Amino acid sequence: SIYLLSVIIAKSIGIISLPIYTRYLSLDEYGVFSMFGVFGLTASGLLSVGLMHSTYRYFFEFKNSQTENFKILNFSNIVFLISIFSLGSLIVYYFSDLIIHYVFKTELSTNILMLSFLSGVLTYFLDYNLLLLTALKRSIIYGVFNICRPLFMLSLSLIFFNYLDYNIYAIILGQLLGISIVLFISYFFLLDQFKLYFSASYVKTSILYSYPLLPRSIIGQIYSSFDKVMLTFYAGFSGV
């Protein structure tokens, strides 16, 4: 199917990008970038309370006769996520020194930590939109966005490498800008799924459905990132 093909192509681009990135970055810098991805995805995933899965579930529940209600629920969940991520960014900034010291030792800068959180948030919103596109059965659009994400990230990173003297910020900016472009464009294909009306009751309904799934999400995040965190803690970033 188109979904599977796009995933295979996207993963292939990721594999191809690995030797390209390691050519420009030192082992320590690539280790920092690996942890950059881990923290942002984990923090945004936990703060989101799994709301994208609620949106996906209620799309089908409201599909036939309550489409306007779904549009309200979708918009309300997005507003809630923006609010909770904004609050989360303040918490991460305020406790950045503690997070760096106890989780990543002292080799990570506050700027990179904050950019990591931003990257996780942007990635979450893009995955949210991609999941909604699968519910709408817009497979071609889903496939294009799924492939463009790693392609844009790689292309922009290579461009930034030439302007930032192969600095780690080149790959970070490339990732942020690449995700942002695809995310921005994706909203044009989902404008018909929003109604500008906030409903606290729909947010509550969504949370009541999604929060029981949170422990599974937490376990998955810990399992996928545990080895990188431990290697960083005991061996430094060059061990990641």
Side-chain angles (χ1 to χ4, degrees):
S1 67
I2 295 177
Y3 296 107
L4 178 60
L5 180 61
S6 68
V7 170
I8 293 174
I9 294 175
K11 294 293 184 182
S12 300
I13 295 173
I15 294 173
I16 293 172
S17 67
L18 178 59
I20 297 176
Y21 289 149
T22 54
R23 176 185 176 185
Y24 288 106
L25 301 175
S26 66
L27 286 176
D28 283 340
E29 287 176 327
Y30 192 79
V32 170
F33 177 68
S34 296
M35 296 308 299
F36 170 90
V38 168
F39 175 76
L41 291 176
T42 302
S44 60
L46 295 179
L47 287 172
S48 71
V49 205
L51 278 188
M52 74 163 70
H53 302 294
S54 291
T55 301
Y56 184 80
R57 179 261 175 108
Y58 285 108
F59 170 84
F60 294 101
E61 186 165 317
F62 293 154
K63 181 178 180 180
N64 296 323
S65 59
Q66 303 180 63
T67 55
E68 290 300 309
N69 290 341
F70 171 76
K71 293 177 183 180
I72 294 174
L73 179 142
N74 190 27
F75 177 76
S76 301
N77 285 349
I78 291 291
V79 171
F80 176 80
L81 285 170
I82 292 174
S83 301
I84 201 69
F85 285 147
S86 298
L87 177 61
S89 67
L90 296 176
I91 295 173
V92 170
Y93 181 78
Y94 184 80
F95 292 103
S96 59
D97 291 339
L98 292 176
I99 295 172
I100 291 170
H101 179 73
Y102 288 105
V103 179
F104 304 111
K105 301 177 72 172
T106 58
E107 299 179 55
L108 199 69
S109 71
T110 300
N111 287 338
I112 291 181
L113 187 71
M114 295 305 299
L115 289 174
S116 170
F117 183 76
L118 176 60
S119 175
V121 169
L122 293 174
T123 299
Y124 185 87
F125 278 125
L126 180 54
D127 288 341
Y128 183 107
N129 287 356
L130 290 176
L131 187 62
L132 187 52
L133 285 171
T134 62
L136 292 164
K137 296 182 179 180
R138 299 176 182 177
S139 57
I140 296 178
I141 299 174
Y142 171 92
V144 170
F145 287 150
N146 204 31
I147 295 171
C148 284
R149 170 169 37 183
L151 190 60
F152 285 1
M153 287 164 52
L154 176 59
S155 301
L156 290 168
S157 295
L158 292 176
I159 293 174
F160 284 125
F161 274 131
N162 293 322
Y163 289 97
L164 298 176
D165 297 325
Y166 311 124
N167 192 290
I168 187 175
Y169 281 99
I171 189 173
I172 290 176
L173 291 177
Q175 175 165 326
L176 289 173
L177 187 56
I179 296 173
S180 298
I181 291 173
V182 178
L183 176 62
F184 178 76
I185 297 174
S186 70
Y187 280 113
F188 285 97
F189 292 88
L190 294 170
L191 290 176
D192 59 337
Q193 301 301 313
F194 297 95
K195 184 173 182 178
L196 302 182
Y197 181 85
F198 180 80
S199 171
S201 63
Y202 275 144
V203 172
K204 180 181 178 181
T205 299
S206 296
I207 293 175
L208 288 176
Y209 171 78
S210 64
Y211 87 85
L213 304 176
L214 191 58
R216 181 188 300 178
S217 176
I218 294 175
I219 292 173
Q221 290 286 355
I222 292 175
Y223 179 80
S224 64
S225 60
F226 180 79
D227 56 339
K228 293 183 179 180
V229 174
M230 289 298 99
L231 279 172
T232 301
F233 189 81
Y234 288 110
F237 284 113
S238 60
V240 177

